[in-house]
Amino acid sequence: MEITNVSEYQAIAKQKLPKMVYDYYASGAEDQWTLEENRNAFSRILFRPRILIDVSKIDMTTTVLGFKISMPIMIAPTAMQKMAHPEGEYATARAASAAGTIMTLSSWATSSVEEVASTGPGIRFFQLYVYKDRHVVAQLVRRAERAGFKAIALTVDTPRLGRREADIKNRFTLPPFLTLKNFEGLDLGKMDKADDSGLASYVAGQIDRSLSWKDVQWLQTITKLPILVKGVLTAEDARLSIQAGAAGIIVSNHGARQLDYVPATIMALEEVVKAAQGRVPVFVDGGVRRGTDVFKALALGASGIFIGRPVVFSLAAEGETGVRKVLQMLRDEFELTMALSGCRSLKEITRDHIFTDWDLPHPRPLPRL
């Protein structure tokens, strides 16, 4: 069967992967309300396309933290990609590089920063979890820097792991033939079997619950790399991120895997963009499956988007080829959306190109005559 859109990879991944692995990638926290809402919220944003504009040439290029990329579609950090495919993060890195875009490597990758760097050229960011042992953190940041990574995406929404009931039921743990490669030499690379989720136990044991704004400032003392604060959902925290020296903000609810009943990221985006007042770029992840979704995010003020699950699902289905196809399909759909909306460059995409169900006063039903 020919694959014609990004979402079709999920069903193939479900067929191919062991249940424990598929459920780990696919599930959200608790009732999974936010998981569904991340997708559904996009359908409450509609277009106001402009016509009779010469769209024979369309430029999707942009710059992120000074790095030129081919399109505002980047790869979010997703953990343990070798559970999806033997080539794991290597395949993802090559696909991102071929597409001329940015890959973010997870702290909990099954390939190390050095291994990913060895795949060849490419602009890469490193997602960081802050461990209780700050020497481990400092060492990891220095390794990422040495390996040529260009920014740190600091995950700030995980003082504890969200309650992911599929992982509890499946007693999720990293398969024995894999390790969290970045921590292999530090005796932190393995995950013990647990009575619930092995990952939840690992986080409870290793990740620092005391993480606060002062740590964002501490991080800047140990690295020259720009820091993106990942996991912001409110105007208040957007302002605090900027005060703390963040170079950018990623509006994220961790793929709906942390606190359930937070809004969809596309719903939280505009509040954060307004608070940032153009001082730093604002990005968004969560629920992007179509080129139309990318356009909507940019119309609401995002500088770019990140995709997570589409990467692991396409990786499971077709390895590097799958990830390349996902990036190409989103690119093609986004270009088409731009053309049909009358936009020739990213700067031409404005808030006036969309309307949302919160823009308009809800019309009252007409009185019966």
Side-chain angles (χ1 to χ4, degrees):
M1 185 198 69
E2 189 188 353
I3 289 171
T4 54
N5 67 68
V6 165
S7 296
E8 286 173 347
Y9 276 115
Q10 182 160 356
I12 299 169
K14 188 173 187 177
Q15 280 176 336
K16 284 187 101 159
L17 292 171
K19 180 174 165 42
M20 179 188 81
V21 171
Y22 173 79
D23 286 353
Y24 170 72
Y25 291 142
S27 64
E30 297 187 353
D31 298 329
Q32 305 192 112
W33 182 86
T34 298
L35 184 66
E36 276 186 60
E37 181 67 4
N38 269 354
R39 283 293 310 122
N40 294 342
F42 279 104
S43 64
R44 299 197 292 273
I45 302 167
L46 302 180
F47 293 122
R48 300 181 69 247
R50 303 301 308 273
I51 53 167
L52 293 174
I53 291 165
D54 175 356
V55 291
S56 53
K57 286 194 181 67
I58 289 189
D59 178 14
M60 291 180 282
T61 61
T62 188
T63 56
V64 171
L65 303 179
F67 298 98
K68 192 167 189 196
I69 55 175
S70 67
M71 58 182 176
I73 301 163
M74 298 165 281
I75 293 184
T78 50
M80 310 177 226
Q81 292 179 12
K82 283 187 180 176
M83 294 194 307
H85 187 276
E87 291 179 17
E89 294 84 2
Y90 288 76
T92 303
R94 289 191 294 259
S97 182
T101 193
I102 292 164
M103 173 196 182
T104 317
L105 182 70
S106 169
S107 273
W108 294 338
T110 38
S111 314
S112 68
V113 289
E114 295 84 4
E115 288 172 332
V116 169
S118 78
T119 62
I123 304 155
R124 302 185 185 105
F125 293 173
F126 181 70
Q127 175 273 333
L128 181 69
Y129 282 117
V130 177
Y131 280 60
K132 289 173 183 172
D133 183 344
R134 292 308 158 91
H135 295 300
V136 167
V137 178
Q139 206 178 328
L140 196 52
V141 169
R142 276 196 293 273
R143 281 172 56 198
E145 225 170 336
R146 273 204 304 273
F149 284 70
K150 302 299 186 212
I152 300 291
L154 176 68
T155 297
V156 294
D157 58 12
T158 313
R160 298 173 59 173
L161 203 69
R163 184 176 172 84
R164 307 167 190 176
E165 292 176 6
D167 291 349
I168 297 169
K169 283 188 170 70
N170 294 333
R171 301 280 186 263
F172 173 80
T173 190
L174 186 62
F177 55 91
L178 295 174
T179 60
L180 301 180
K181 260 296 204 277
N182 287 315
F183 301 98
E184 203 173 32
L186 300 159
D187 286 337
L188 295 170
K190 282 289 181 196
M191 209 175 284
D192 299 323
K193 281 246 186 288
D195 291 336
D196 49 8
S197 152
L199 186 62
S201 302
Y202 180 86
V203 168
Q206 302 301 338
I207 302 304
D208 194 344
R209 293 185 187 185
S210 77
L211 192 69
S212 70
W213 291 107
K214 68 179 188 316
D215 297 294
V216 181
Q217 290 161 319
W218 166 76
L219 206 50
Q220 291 163 76
T221 68
I222 67 161
T223 182
K224 292 280 182 283
L225 294 179
I227 293 158
L228 299 170
V229 177
K230 177 179 182 285
V232 173
L233 292 170
T234 64
E236 296 90 323
D237 284 339
R239 286 189 284 267
L240 288 169
S241 297
I242 295 166
Q243 275 167 33
I249 289 167
I250 304 174
V251 175
S252 175
N253 54 31
H254 209 118
R257 293 157 77 78
Q258 284 298 102
L259 180 62
D260 201 14
Y261 298 100
V262 294
T265 46
I266 197 68
M267 302 288 284
L269 174 60
E270 200 164 27
E271 172 182 330
V272 172
V273 166
K274 283 177 176 164
Q277 297 179 316
R279 292 174 288 180
V280 300
V282 176
F283 306 97
V284 65
D285 68 27
V288 173
R289 299 293 180 272
R290 285 277 189 191
T292 48
D293 300 336
V294 179
F295 186 101
K296 289 170 185 181
L298 268 63
L300 286 167
S303 292
I305 66 93
F306 289 88
I307 50 167
R309 286 186 184 89
V311 171
V312 287
F313 292 149
S314 59
L315 187 62
E318 297 180 322
E320 182 185 335
T321 306
V323 182
R324 282 181 184 237
K325 278 193 204 163
V326 156
L327 290 168
Q328 189 62 48
M329 282 190 287
L330 284 173
R331 182 191 173 87
D332 292 345
E333 289 178 12
F334 177 54
E335 184 176 23
L336 181 60
T337 306
M338 284 179 69
L340 296 179
S341 297
C343 298
R344 293 162 293 197
S345 68
L346 303 192
K347 68 172 189 299
E348 290 189 351
I349 301 174
T350 68
R351 185 62 169 80
D352 291 333
H353 285 96
I354 58 165
F355 67 97
T356 66
D357 65 357
W358 63 90
D359 284 337
L360 306 164
H362 287 287
R364 289 195 192 86
L366 290 169
R368 282 216 177 85
L369 291 172

